Amino acid sequence: MMKIAITGHTNIEKTKNVFNTDSEKYNQAVLMAIMDEIETFLFNYIKDKDINNDITLISGMARGIDEIFALIAIKNNFNLILCIPNSIKWHKNRSYSRGSRVQAIFYDKILRYKNITEIHEIKKDYKNNSFWCANMARNQAMVDLSDIVFSYKSYDSTGTDDCIKRAKESKKYFGNIPKIESFLDDF
């Protein structure tokens, strides 16, 4: 079994240069386009590596790319691991960050998914380390639990950059999906 994590932006609309003032819902065209990109990449990766769909996806439960990965797991009946900063209650009801929702919009739907194999509530002191916030500790937990980490990054993002850095340090980082085609040519 292969465990695959992803890191990426909460503001998926920005990745496609679409202005969205309502962080409580997605621009549907952007959501579907990115979901299709990630899903197409994932199935090509599975096929190339001859994994036979024996995978578990890992989601950090943030709005955007993390949430899309969880929705892909649900759509394709894959196992799912959730890594949640602090606790479900805290993260689900968390205040907005810079005026925008940062936790998954479909939080309850994802939590009801029948193939969740693990839920990790990650505290700032994860593995006796002192992270400056639970989100960064969550990034480390996702890397620790995964066999490989992909990213979906098109602009600077502190959380995404942190998770990529941690994945690179662990030698688990595969690459960035929007630019992955050229990266795959090297294999």
Side-chain angles (χ1 to χ4, degrees):
M1 173 182 313
M2 166 126 351
K3 293 180 181 175
I4 303 172
I6 196 167
T7 186
H9 304 299
T10 58
N11 185 347
I12 61 170
E13 291 81 7
K14 187 175 176 181
T15 67
K16 301 295 186 190
N17 296 316
V18 173
F19 186 71
N20 182 13
T21 58
D22 186 357
S23 65
E24 290 292 326
K25 62 182 180 181
Y26 290 111
N27 174 295
Q28 287 300 302
V30 171
L31 176 67
M32 298 313 293
I34 293 175
M35 191 168 186
D36 185 56
E37 275 182 74
I38 294 171
E39 194 171 28
T40 298
F41 169 78
L42 184 62
F43 278 103
N44 285 336
Y45 179 81
I46 290 168
K47 181 181 171 193
D48 289 346
K49 300 296 181 187
D50 199 25
I51 299 171
N52 299 321
N53 294 350
D54 189 16
I55 63 170
T56 297
L57 303 187
I58 301 172
S59 171
M61 289 297 280
R63 180 191 193 281
I65 301 304
D66 288 6
E67 183 170 18
I68 288 170
F69 215 47
L71 295 174
I72 289 170
I74 293 168
K75 178 181 175 191
N76 293 286
N77 206 32
F78 293 139
N79 289 332
L80 180 62
I81 294 173
L82 303 178
C83 289
I84 299 168
N86 286 319
S87 68
I88 291 172
K89 182 179 180 182
W90 177 87
H91 192 246
K92 182 178 163 183
N93 299 307
R94 171 179 180 188
S95 300
Y96 284 7
S97 176
R98 292 180 290 238
S100 293
R101 179 187 182 103
V102 292
Q103 66 275 46
I105 293 171
F106 300 108
Y107 218 97
D108 290 330
K109 177 180 181 172
I110 294 167
L111 286 175
R112 287 192 302 268
Y113 179 50
K114 64 180 170 46
N115 289 341
I116 293 175
T117 59
E118 301 170 35
I119 297 177
H120 299 272
E121 295 180 317
I122 310 299
K123 309 294 185 213
K124 287 187 340 183
D125 64 352
Y126 171 73
K127 288 193 171 179
N128 296 319
N129 291 305
S130 181
F131 293 91
W132 69 271
C133 72
N135 291 347
M136 301 309 169
R138 181 254 329 260
N139 290 347
Q140 186 63 56
M142 289 173 57
V143 170
D144 290 348
L145 290 166
S146 69
D147 296 308
I148 193 164
V149 179
F150 302 111
S151 62
Y152 192 102
K153 179 182 184 244
S154 65
Y155 59 88
D156 287 340
S157 170
T158 304
T160 301
D161 291 340
D162 175 74
C163 195
I164 289 170
K165 178 181 133 268
R166 293 174 189 286
K168 284 180 177 179
E169 288 170 354
S170 297
K171 300 193 182 344
K172 294 181 179 184
Y173 184 63
F174 187 80
N176 193 51
I177 292 175
K179 298 174 185 154
I180 208 83
E181 291 78 38
S182 61
F183 189 81
L184 283 174
D185 292 341
D186 294 336
F187 286 102

